[in-house]
Structure formats: C-alpha cells, structure tokens
Amino acid sequence: MDTAGNFPARFKAAFRRGSFLRAVIQWCFLFWCLFAGIRFGLFVTGFEGGGVPSVPRPPSVEGFLPIGALISLRHWLSSGVIHTFHPAALVLLVTFLAMSLLGKKSFCSFICPVGTLSERLWRAGKKALGRNWSLWTWLDVPLRAAKYLLLYFFINIAFVQMPAKALGGFLSSPYWAVADVKMLYFFTRMSSLTLAVLIILAILSLPIKNFWCRYLCPYGALVGVLSLASPWKIRRREDACTQCGTCRLKCPFDLPVDRKTVVRSVECTGCLTCVTNCPADGALAMALPLTKHPLPAWVYPLFVLTIFSFGVGWGMASGHWQTSLTLQDYKVLIPMAPGIGH
C-alpha cells in the first residue's frame, strides 16, 4: 500500500527531474528502430521472392552501419562530397557526434537501442537477484580499456590504413551497397556462434550494469571522448548536498558523483539517474556552467532532441537522406548479397 500510495509523488519527482522524459524518449527510439527494422525486412524479402517490395526502404536503418559511416566521414572531410549510396549513415553519425560535443553522452542514454535494452537487463537482474555486482577495480579498469582498443582499431582502419584513393572505391563497391542487407542478415540469419555470444552478453548484463556499454562498445568510447567538450555536466551544489552517497550507489557506471563538484568522466552518459535518486532537493542537476539556478528538467532532454531533429532534418532537406540506389539496383544486388565480400 505504501508503494502504491507513494506512486504519484514518485512520478512527479521523476518527471520534475527529467528521468520520465528520458524513459519516454528511450522507448520511442527503441520502437522506431524495431519498426524500421521490420519495414526493411519486408523491403528485402520482397526482392528475395522475385517481386517488388510492398514498402519503401527506411533510410534510418543506416544508423546500424557505423564502420562504413566512419569511412564515409573521412571521404566527406577529404573530398567535400557525401557519397550517395548510404548518405543517412553519415548524417546519423555526424548527428550523434554533435550530440556528444554539445549535449554530453546523450546518444547512449537517450537514443541507442542497445543502451536501452542493456539498462532494462541490469534492472531486471537487480530485481531477480536482489542486487547488481561490480567487478574488482583491478579487473574493471583494464576491461574498460577494451572499448578504446576497439575504437582505435576502427579509427586506424578508416583514417590511417585506408589510402585516400581507396575511399571512393570502397563506397562505390557492391559490398558497401549491400551493407544494410548484410546487417539485416546478421540478425535474421544468425549463426550459432553469434547467437551464443549474444546470449552470453545478455547473461553478463543481468548482474553487471551495462556490461556491453561499459567494456566493449567502441561507439560509446568515441562519443564519450567527445562528450568531454560538452558544456552540459552533472553539477553538485555542496551547500545542498547531504553526503548521503545515494548518487554514487545509483550511478550505472559507479562514478563518485558525491565527491565531485562537476562530473567530467567519459563514462557519464547524462542518464540523470543520480539526479533522479538524489534525496536532497537542488543538490544535483544536469546544468550548464555559470548558471546560478538549475534549468527546468525538461530543457536537457529537449536540447538533445533538438540536436537530433536538426541533424536528421538537415539530411532530409539537403537531399542526403535517401540512397541513390534504385529498386532495380536492389533487385540485382539483394540475391547476390550473401556472396558479396570485401
């Protein structure tokens, strides 16, 4: 009865501190990704059956092509030309990078479907197991370095090892043309090894908060580094703080929020969990520098959505959203996709 009786108060607190808005945004983007994936599956299936698809291809599926998007980014920076096969991949990558530079690591905590699912897994694990566990520091620290090694590997390929003359050749190749189809097959024609790895990652994500994001995600490593430049930070008012340590205990990445005036860590995703759970009114806030009073909680989520909307809107308005590949191109390429390699 107490829990039910406290629900209105807890709901108001969650809304006031921004966590409710964040949850709404997370679920909306997750369902958007699922919807786009289903439509793309129908698009590809239409060609596989020798006919014409009944639905148009959703460009947003290109958000799942980050490595090719890195190569496309280098090509754009070096030539000033956005390649037309998968332009939405580049638009989304640049948008997510801008979100990190301006709005903290908000891609991870608001947009990324993997982050949303990972968060639900460790929360489910906490309910089922009674708690979550943290790895020993001597193991946690080197494991966190793994995602930066993976990031270095991909950056090295896209920006160092690949000759400038080869960029256009890769982006015009049949392999890049069907990269979206191959990504679909990764999920729909999953090997037993891939399935086993995903199951292991899901199991590890139950007792350990954000296992994939914390240790293995190179995308998260990239946006985390860029987020250091963001003016938005979790800021603590020492005069209002009671030193209860709740923020540190609730932080999904075990950051010492209670000992920082400003949280500058590359691991901070701006998820607002510490702010939501802080029992001292006004002690914690996602705020801009030199602000005497915290802005309303809805300002930060709205800011994040604005950057995302502006980036995607620019891509659509400038003609860099829809692929130049025609239905006839896909009719030829899709049956060949399983056999097309680098």
Side-chain angles (χ1 to χ4, degrees):
M1 288 295 294
D2 288 342
T3 301
N6 287 333
F7 178 77
R10 290 189 290 110
F11 176 82
K12 289 179 181 178
F15 185 85
R16 181 167 54 85
R17 297 186 179 192
S19 58
F20 174 76
L21 290 175
R22 172 176 168 261
V24 170
I25 294 170
Q26 281 184 302
W27 284 110
C28 285
F29 274 102
L30 177 61
F31 284 120
W32 180 34
C33 288
L34 290 173
F35 179 69
I38 292 170
R39 287 178 65 84
F40 186 59
L42 294 173
F43 175 82
V44 173
T45 303
F47 284 116
E48 289 174 337
V52 178
S54 58
V55 298
R57 174 186 175 276
S60 55
V61 298
E62 295 177 21
F64 290 88
L65 305 175
I67 300 172
L70 275 176
I71 297 174
S72 186
L73 174 61
R74 186 189 169 197
H75 178 264
W76 179 43
L77 293 175
S78 61
S79 68
V81 176
I82 296 178
H83 199 274
T84 60
F85 275 10
H86 295 304
L90 176 61
V91 169
L92 288 169
L93 174 64
V94 172
T95 299
F96 297 151
L97 298 183
M99 287 173 64
S100 300
L101 281 168
L102 301 174
K104 203 68 180 83
K105 207 174 174 181
S106 50
F107 165 73
C108 298
S109 57
F110 283 83
I111 308 294
C112 180
V114 178
T116 298
L117 293 174
S118 182
E119 182 175 339
R120 269 61 203 177
L121 281 172
W122 69 256
R123 290 187 184 278
K126 184 176 182 179
K127 286 185 178 180
L129 304 172
R131 56 166 291 191
N132 296 114
W133 280 264
S134 297
L135 297 182
W136 302 280
T137 303
W138 60 267
L139 182 59
D140 176 71
V141 173
L143 281 180
R144 289 194 190 208
K147 61 179 180 282
Y148 295 101
L149 292 176
L150 288 170
L151 174 63
Y152 170 78
F153 174 76
F154 293 125
I155 293 291
N156 187 50
I157 289 176
F159 284 84
V160 179
Q161 291 190 7
M162 183 173 284
K165 293 182 179 179
L167 296 174
F170 171 82
L171 295 174
S172 298
S173 68
Y175 180 83
W176 178 237
V178 296
D180 51 350
V181 180
K182 283 184 166 292
M183 179 55 66
L184 175 69
Y185 289 162
F186 174 83
F187 293 103
T188 61
R189 303 182 181 184
M190 196 176 296
S191 68
S192 55
L193 175 60
T194 300
L195 179 60
V197 170
L198 292 178
I199 291 174
I200 291 171
L201 288 173
I203 292 173
L204 290 172
S205 297
L206 291 169
I208 302 174
K209 296 178 181 178
N210 301 306
F211 183 85
W212 166 262
C213 309
R214 184 188 296 250
Y215 299 121
L216 296 172
C217 181
Y219 214 138
L222 174 60
V223 297
V225 172
L226 293 177
S227 74
L228 292 173
S230 170
W232 287 95
K233 298 282 192 301
I234 295 293
R235 303 178 189 275
R236 183 176 64 90
R237 283 180 49 200
E238 294 189 24
D239 59 326
C241 179
T242 62
Q243 298 293 330
C244 67
T246 302
C247 52
R248 172 176 46 83
L249 293 172
K250 295 292 184 179
C251 176
F253 290 90
D254 303 318
L255 299 177
V257 182
D258 58 329
R259 298 200 297 270
K260 302 289 184 179
T261 303
V262 181
V263 179
R264 294 187 171 87
S265 172
V266 294
E267 301 291 349
C268 177
T269 64
C271 68
L272 306 177
T273 302
C274 58
V275 177
T276 301
N277 288 279
C278 178
D281 234 9
L284 281 177
M286 175 63 80
L288 295 167
L290 306 177
T291 52
K292 294 182 178 179
H293 303 287
L295 296 168
W298 54 264
V299 172
Y300 176 63
L302 180 63
F303 181 77
V304 169
L305 280 179
T306 300
I307 299 174
F308 177 83
S309 301
F310 181 82
V312 173
W314 174 85
M316 292 179 175
S318 62
H320 300 302
W321 187 247
Q322 296 285 349
T323 179
S324 63
L325 294 168
T326 64
L327 292 179
Q328 185 61 37
D329 291 328
Y330 273 108
K331 188 175 182 178
V332 173
L333 288 167
I334 287 177
M336 300 168 51
I340 296 177
H342 289 283

